[in-house]
Every structure is written in C-alpha cells, then in structure tokens.
Amino acid sequence: MKNDKMKNQYRINEQIRVREVRIVGDSGNMVLPTREALDMARTQGVDLVEISPNANPPVCRLIDYSKFLYQQKKRQKEMKAKQVKVEVKEIRFGPQTDEHDYQFKLKHAKEFLTDGNKVRAYVFFRGRSILFKEQGEVLLLRFANDLEEYGKVEGMPSLEGKKMFLYLAPKKAGVAKKSQQARDREASAQELSDNSRVSRQADEVETPANGGLLANAKISVDALKKLTETEED
C-alpha cells in the first residue's frame, strides 16, 4: 500500500507532458525538450523521473525508477530516525521541600532538559498546606532561575486545583553556556550536601517561624518575567 502511494507521487516517462524539463545529475543540469529527454533516458536504459513538478521548467532525473523509490524510502527512514521525541517530565515538590531534596530534583531537571525533554514542575498542596501557596510560588520561581542555563520558562507559575505548575522547555544544544554565577550556585549546592549542613537546614525547615528553605529564597517575580521575555531561540 505504501509503495503504491509513493509510486503515484511521481510522474515518469510519457506521463510527463510538459514542453521541456530540467535534467539534474552528478554532472550538473541542463534544460531539454521533454521528447529529447525521453530519448536520452531510453538510450541509457533508465527512466525520466519528475522530482519537482512545480519548478519552471519541472525538474527531472535520469534514473531507474525502482532505484529512485528505494532511495526515497531509505531517506524517509533516516529522517524519521533522526526525529527526537520530546517528552514531558514531571518534578513534584511539597510547599516546604528541604534543600537536599530540592538539589536532588534540580539535578534531574537539568538532565531532562539537556536530553531535549520538557519539564513540568509542580507544588502539591495537601490539606491546609494550600495556605502556603505563596511559598510554593517562590519555590517554583527559584527552580526556574536555577535552570535558566538549561531551559526557558513557558509561563508564570499557575495554580490549578491543589497544584501549582511551572513549565520549562529545553534550550537548543550548544546555545547556553554556564556562567560564573551558575558555577557558583553549583559549588554552593555541593557544599550543602555536607551532612552537618543538611542537618541544620532540616531544622530550619521544621521551624515555622523562620520559614525554612523558602524564607531564604532570593528570587522575585521580576526575575522570572525576564526569563519569559527572552526571545525564542
């Protein structure tokens, strides 16, 4: 069925009824009367295949039609194999996620974006924790800022039911380079992996008065707006 569809896609030999055609090949191209091009194809024992009917004059090749169809089919398979399937990966947070868990999920998000996948990060508010939705927004804004080298924000954090979402799309490979600021952030994150530091951070998260991790987030809505205003690559 597929082969029949491809065969009907091209006109060959006597099906080509225009006055003249442009013959292209390894040796260059030339414009000939169609009848002369047909005689040339018969002499060489091949077919006259119209490959670009909308050109003026139409473009043709002198080639065995079966070989031509095989080449086209092979080319389509190669193009299909090169197509990258973009997936949406989810990252889930709680409104009071501790630093260790945050860095763990940040690492995975970087990997997802580097692989060309989109990221949908969200904060899930369970029960009365919906009262801390501002903290969830700050967390997502910080998350977007920490991923600015890897992805671009597709919209401000939005609350849908008990979940607040943030969407990130990958930047094109080779466009983003790590800035000194990004390297400093990674170095700081590495220091926080020290057991004693993580322990102290956990104590801060458990203390409602100081707000834990989210009270220390140094990011504003204006910072994210700058990310969303960045021109599409």
Side-chain angles (χ1 to χ4, degrees):
M1 182 71 70
K2 290 184 178 180
N3 289 336
D4 291 341
K5 185 177 180 180
M6 185 173 287
K7 284 182 180 179
N8 296 329
Q9 188 175 351
Y10 302 96
R11 292 187 296 186
I12 64 171
N13 300 327
E14 284 76 12
Q15 294 175 354
I16 305 171
R17 302 182 183 277
V18 295
R19 180 179 299 178
E20 59 183 14
V21 295
R22 182 181 298 275
I23 306 296
V24 296
D26 296 335
S27 58
N29 68 85
M30 55 184 171
V31 177
L32 296 173
T34 303
R35 185 177 297 277
E36 187 175 334
L38 285 169
D39 291 340
M40 185 182 296
R42 294 190 189 96
T43 301
Q44 297 181 16
V46 294
D47 298 295
L48 180 66
V49 182
E50 185 183 60
I51 60 175
S52 184
N54 296 325
N56 186 23
V59 179
C60 298
R61 287 183 61 188
L62 297 175
I63 187 174
D64 181 84
Y65 192 42
S66 297
K67 181 179 179 180
F68 172 76
L69 292 177
Y70 172 78
Q71 290 177 347
Q72 294 299 107
K73 186 177 180 181
K74 183 179 179 181
R75 186 174 301 161
Q76 289 180 1
K77 284 185 177 180
E78 291 174 350
M79 291 177 63
K80 187 176 181 180
K82 290 180 180 179
Q83 291 179 345
V84 179
K85 183 179 180 181
V86 178
E87 298 182 4
V88 178
K89 303 291 186 177
E90 285 195 343
I91 301 288
R92 171 176 170 170
F93 293 102
Q96 292 185 332
T97 299
D98 62 62
E99 182 69 20
H100 180 74
D101 192 33
Y102 175 84
Q103 293 297 335
F104 178 78
K105 292 177 178 179
L106 180 65
K107 177 183 176 182
H108 279 290
K110 289 177 180 179
E111 293 174 354
F112 294 150
L113 291 169
T114 301
D115 291 341
N117 297 307
K118 291 188 174 184
V119 170
R120 178 169 63 184
Y122 69 92
V123 179
F124 179 69
F125 300 98
R126 188 188 303 274
R128 292 176 60 84
S129 66
I130 192 67
L131 298 174
F132 302 99
K133 61 182 180 180
E134 290 80 8
Q135 293 183 350
E137 182 178 11
V138 170
L139 176 60
L140 291 176
L141 292 173
R142 177 191 175 188
F143 192 64
N145 188 60
D146 288 344
L147 292 170
E148 63 180 336
E149 304 291 339
Y150 301 86
K152 52 181 177 288
V153 179
E154 293 190 325
M156 298 289 286
S158 60
L159 185 64
E160 300 176 20
K162 294 184 177 181
K163 296 179 181 179
M164 182 174 287
F165 291 95
L166 174 74
Y167 294 87
L168 294 157
K171 287 188 175 180
K172 292 183 179 180
V175 173
K177 294 183 179 179
K178 289 185 179 180
S179 64
Q180 184 61 46
Q181 182 183 6
R183 291 193 291 270
D184 291 342
R185 283 200 301 268
E186 291 183 357
S188 298
Q190 185 63 36
E191 292 178 5
L192 287 172
S193 64
D194 181 82
N195 290 335
S196 61
R197 196 172 188 109
V198 171
S199 178
R200 289 196 300 271
Q201 184 66 36
D203 291 338
E204 293 177 2
V205 172
E206 293 174 359
T207 307
N210 60 28
L213 164 68
L214 298 174
N216 297 321
K218 303 294 186 181
I219 181 170
S220 65
V221 174
D222 290 339
L224 185 60
K225 286 183 178 179
K226 291 181 180 179
L227 295 177
T228 58
E229 291 172 359
T230 303
E231 295 184 358
E232 293 292 332
D233 295 327

